[in-house]
Each structure stands twice: as structure tokens, then as C-alpha cells.
Amino acid sequence: MSAPERIPPRSVTATDPAAAELLARGELTVRGRIREASNAALYCTVTHEDREAACVYKPVAGERPLWDFPDGTLAGREAAAYEVSRATGWDLVPPTVLRDGPYGEGMCQLWIETAPGAELLALVDGEEPEPGWKAIGLAEAGEGRTALLVHADDDRLRRLSVLDAVINNADRKGGHLLPTADGRLYGIDHGVTFNTENKLRTLLWGWAGEPLPEEALDVLKGLRDALTPSGPLTAALTPLITPAEIDATRARVDALLTSGAHPEPGTDWPAIPWPPV
């Protein structure tokens, strides 16, 4: 009698409700290292029962020390950013969990395949952006020439700018923006977030000072409710970041609702990350 034919595991996408469970419970197999990453980042597959997916595993043991963030906390911050993103309903961060892996505890995030040709950032001549673009600032374009750095006037980017303001993202670079073939946009690399001090550094300053859209205000109100001491988002964040950092997140949500506007760059911290891409 021949053995029954093995059914290949079903691939899981970022919109699949089973993605987070797969990441948390599946068997991780390291396939290679992502050498461009500043901390140890391993390309893996994760398999559980009849499901599998590609993912990124960043072990805490591979985090390099930073002067302004406690050692060994970046993986938890990545998972916390996903929890806040999930609470917004915008789902701007790929499914991410904190779990044990081949090299100890670390962040495990679903791998996102990007769509080529989706232009979100550009360097242009002139002092004002064309319609459909927002100005970030002047940048060196080589050979002593400066050009205007712009980002697309895109609702997906605008939502991401609001999320970054909530989580206090200190490193929103162009390479952290992942557009996909189905029209979605994901943001990755959220290890330097949730600091209690204002450290917002981003390329998405095009809406600075402008009124927040009604959609964003509604989302912020939902976050405020979810971040009460007994709220579900507070419960989700408690194992991942400190009580003081949760309090600071709550305060940032309140400040955004009070101002009703996108934040503006501060003066005591570089406003744009380097390198910007």
C-alpha cells in the first residue's frame, strides 16, 4: 500500500487571521541572514500544522546596545508597535510576536513581498512639490547639488505618520515602507519606539501642522479608550514595554486629540533619520 500523498502546507499572508498564531506557535527554521540590517535579522520559515510562511526573526541576543534605549528591549518594542497598529484597525505593521526561537527570545514578523515600481519618495528640482507630493526638506543630491526631498500625498502614508506619532518612532526611513501588489502599505523596523522622551524622527513630515483627518481622530479616540488602565491595548502592551512607556503612549494620544493636528518637528532632536533611505 502506497503512503498517502502529503498535502503541501498552505501559505499564510499578512491579512490571514491565523498569521499571528502561526508566528507564535510554529517551528522556526533559519534560512539565511539579512545582512543590511543593523541588528541580527534572520530570514526564516515558520511552519505549524497545515500552514507555513516566510518571516523575519530578530533575536534579542543580536541587538546592539543603544545609548538611549535599554538593552534587550528592541524586540518587545517591535511587537508592541504591531499591537498598536492592530488596535487602530489600519493594520500597517505586519503580524509580529515576541517568542522563543533558535537563538533565544526575539521578535518574529511575517515577511512582506513588496511590489516594484511603487514610488513613495523622490528627489525633485525646485522649491515646491508638484501636485500629489508633499515636501520633506532639501537634501544633498550629489556633486554639490541640492534637491527637494518629497513623499507621496498618500492616505496610507498619512495613516502611518499618525501611527508613528503615537508610538514615537525614532527611525521612519524610506526603506521601512513596504508597498504590496494588493495596494497595501506596511511599515517595518520598529525597534526604536515608545521612548518616554520625544524622539520622533521620520520622513513623513509633509502634513506637519495640518489638521488631522476625521478618520484619524476617530482612530485616536479608539486608542484612548483601549489604553485605559484596564483597557485591552494596555493589557497587550504590558508584557512588551514598561508602565512608564505605556503612560507616555497614552499621553501622546491625548496630545494629538487635544491639538487636532499632525505634530511638527521638535528642536531638540534631529527631525529626519540618517540615512533617510
Side-chain angles (χ1 to χ4, degrees):
M1 178 181 296
S2 61
E5 182 180 355
R6 181 178 180 273
I7 301 175
R10 178 169 63 86
S11 180
V12 170
T13 65
T15 57
D16 193 319
E21 180 185 13
L22 170 63
L23 292 171
R25 301 181 61 189
E27 179 181 356
L28 279 176
T29 303
V30 177
R31 303 297 183 184
R33 182 171 182 175
I34 303 171
R35 298 193 178 275
E36 297 82 3
S38 56
N39 297 294
L42 305 175
Y43 179 78
C44 303
T45 53
V46 59
T47 307
H48 180 65
E49 296 180 345
D50 64 337
R51 297 181 175 90
E52 74 172 2
C55 62
V56 177
Y57 163 54
K58 297 182 182 179
V60 171
E63 295 178 5
R64 61 184 178 88
L66 299 173
W67 69 269
D68 52 347
F69 284 83
D71 293 349
T73 66
L74 305 190
R77 296 173 194 278
E78 295 240 34
Y82 166 67
E83 293 295 341
V84 176
S85 168
R86 191 161 70 102
T88 67
W90 287 334
D91 294 325
L92 297 167
V93 178
T96 310
V97 301
L98 189 67
R99 58 162 290 172
D100 287 330
Y103 300 102
E105 186 179 59
M107 178 278 281
C108 188
Q109 183 176 84
L110 198 71
W111 180 267
I112 299 296
E113 292 291 343
T114 59
E119 194 173 21
L120 298 172
L121 298 167
L123 280 172
V124 299
D125 293 322
E127 298 181 356
E128 296 292 333
E130 296 289 332
W133 295 89
K134 289 285 189 177
I136 303 168
L138 293 174
E140 293 292 332
E143 299 180 354
R145 185 175 69 89
T146 59
L148 186 65
L149 181 61
V150 297
H151 67 68
D153 188 2
D154 185 307
D155 287 342
R156 301 170 302 171
L157 287 179
R158 191 165 193 173
R159 291 169 181 164
L160 194 58
S161 75
V162 175
L163 176 67
D164 284 343
V166 170
I167 66 176
N168 197 16
N169 191 352
D171 196 33
R172 173 61 72 208
K173 297 177 179 177
H176 301 166
L177 305 174
L178 304 184
T180 63
D182 62 358
R184 293 177 178 270
L185 177 70
Y186 294 97
I188 60 168
D189 283 351
H190 297 107
V192 286
T193 50
F194 296 101
N195 203 297
T196 56
E197 299 180 7
N198 179 27
K199 290 186 178 290
L200 184 60
R201 291 198 307 173
T202 176
L203 286 178
L204 305 180
W205 288 117
W207 298 282
E210 293 187 13
L212 288 162
E214 285 298 322
E215 175 197 36
L217 293 172
D218 289 342
V219 163
L220 290 167
K221 290 172 185 175
L223 289 180
R224 181 176 59 189
D225 293 341
L227 281 167
T228 60
S230 59
L233 183 52
T234 299
L237 294 178
T238 295
L240 304 172
I241 58 177
T242 68
E245 289 164 345
I246 295 174
D247 288 343
T249 303
R250 189 180 296 120
R252 288 191 295 271
V253 170
D254 288 340
L256 287 166
L257 283 168
T258 298
S259 72
H262 287 271
E264 299 188 64
T267 58
D268 55 353
W269 180 253
I272 296 177
W274 186 263
V277 178

